[in-house]
Amino acid sequence: VAAGEVVFSKQTTTTASAPVLSSFEGALGYLRWMLPVLLGGYLLSGLIVVDSDEVAVVMRFGKLSGGTVATAQKQPGVHYTLPRPFDEVLRVKVKKVYEIEIGDLHSRGRTSPWASETIDPTEEGYVLTGDRNVVQLDMMARYLISDPVAFALRQSEPEEVLRSTIMAATVRTMGEVEVDSVLSEGRAAFIVKVVQRAQQRLDRAGVGIDLVSIEVTDLAPPVQVKEDFDQVQAAFIDMQTQVTEAKRTRELEIPQAQSERNQD
């Protein structure tokens, strides 16, 4: 009886382990088919399509692929790169005109809706003109990315560099002009000078940005002195009008008086 019990136990163990072995063999067969598929999908993940308005910058182990700027840039089309984590692809739109608002020299950032008697530099910005007048201006800058590698790699925040550069050029240029000029016919020349100076700074910094234009959306004295400023401007315009009328009267009266004298 003891021998029979032993034989029965062996048969039971063999019967129970058969499904496990069968499942294991099935899993091995499944992996045998899946591994090539997974490997092929992983290798195909390095296939990239670069759109017509962009350039792809390929980084390999944190450095430019191929070691040079030219080899690291992929122009529009289909390209193959090594899958991650070997290669990293940075896409840069080189034909898009970007816009950035620059309101740091304006009062629109003020937290309080009520104007104080004086300017609080912690809440609103301003700039001084060459004749020591205070003005506030709001700007919109438009730019293109001229160097994808420099834009993507050389600065962690290229737009902040652009913002600070334009502000520095604005403050310097505003300090060279008079308030009456920049508020009237001299505004266009002022903007041209700001663009030139800002672009020179950007080129020296090597951020890969080309300024397209700068638009001054608002330029006026601070609200604290706006009423007084408008009165001064109105008085100046009246004075200019009177001077112009006096010159016109002189041009008419003097020839007429000379004509009458000659007739006598």
Side-chain angles (χ1 to χ4, degrees), residues 177-197:
V177 298
E178 296 183 353
V179 65
D180 292 331
S181 173
V182 76
L183 289 175
S184 55
E185 72 279 354
R187 181 178 299 192
F190 164 77
I191 295 174
V192 170
K193 192 67 175 178
V194 171
V195 172
Q196 291 176 347
R197 280 182 168 160

Side-chain angles (χ1 to χ4, degrees), residues 15-264:
T15 304
S17 62
V20 176
L21 293 174
S22 177
S23 300
F24 181 72
E25 291 175 354
L28 287 178
Y30 180 76
L31 289 176
R32 221 175 272 121
W33 286 98
M34 284 300 298
L35 282 177
V37 174
L38 293 174
L39 180 60
Y42 173 70
L43 294 176
L44 288 175
S45 66
L47 195 67
I48 62 171
V49 178
V50 182
D51 293 337
S52 60
D53 63 339
E54 65 183 12
V55 169
V57 180
V58 181
M59 306 293 296
R60 182 163 297 168
F61 299 115
K63 298 181 179 180
L64 292 175
S65 176
T68 65
V69 173
T71 56
Q73 294 188 65
K74 303 299 181 183
Q75 301 301 321
V78 180
H79 303 274
Y80 184 78
T81 61
L82 295 180
R84 283 178 174 271
F86 303 101
D87 284 355
E88 179 184 4
V89 179
L90 306 175
R91 298 176 182 270
V92 181
K93 300 285 187 181
V94 294
K95 294 185 179 180
K96 176 182 177 181
V97 178
Y98 293 84
E99 292 184 349
I100 179 174
E101 292 187 41
I102 303 174
D104 302 76
L105 301 175
H106 198 268
S107 62
R108 64 184 177 90
R110 187 174 56 238
T111 57
S112 173
W114 307 105
S116 59
E117 294 182 358
T118 58
I119 294 177
D120 185 353
T122 63
E123 292 192 352
E124 54 184 307
Y126 64 91
V127 64
L128 291 175
T129 63
D131 51 356
R132 298 184 180 181
N133 280 282
V134 178
V135 293
Q136 294 176 320
L137 71 162
D138 199 5
M139 297 179 289
M140 174 74 72
R142 297 178 177 86
Y143 67 94
L144 288 167
I145 299 175
S146 58
D147 188 339
V149 174
F151 183 84
L153 302 179
R154 291 183 184 173
Q155 299 289 339
S156 59
E157 296 182 349
E159 282 202 345
E160 288 304 313
V161 175
L162 174 62
R163 187 190 304 275
S164 61
T165 299
I166 293 177
M167 287 177 56
T170 300
V171 171
R172 179 181 175 185
T173 306
M174 188 68 76
E176 298 173 348
V177 298
E178 296 183 353
V179 65
D180 292 331
S181 173
V182 76
L183 289 175
S184 55
E185 72 279 354
R187 181 178 299 192
F190 164 77
I191 295 174
V192 170
K193 192 67 175 178
V194 171
V195 172
Q196 291 176 347
R197 280 182 168 160
Q199 188 62 61
Q200 290 174 357
R201 287 171 174 256
L202 291 171
D203 292 342
R204 289 196 296 268
V207 294
I209 290 177
D210 278 348
L211 275 173
V212 176
S213 66
I214 293 178
E215 177 186 357
V216 177
T217 55
D218 187 32
L219 175 59
V223 65
Q224 292 88 346
V225 297
K226 190 176 186 305
E227 184 177 351
D228 295 334
F229 184 87
D230 291 341
Q231 292 178 358
V232 172
Q233 287 294 100
F236 179 77
I237 293 173
D238 289 342
M239 182 190 68
Q240 290 292 98
T241 302
Q242 293 177 6
V243 170
T244 301
E245 291 178 352
K247 289 181 179 179
R248 185 182 299 111
T249 301
R250 183 186 65 181
E251 292 173 355
L252 294 174
E253 295 293 336
I254 291 179
Q256 184 177 355
Q258 290 177 344
S259 177
E260 291 176 355
R261 184 187 64 183
N262 292 335
Q263 288 179 357
D264 295 339

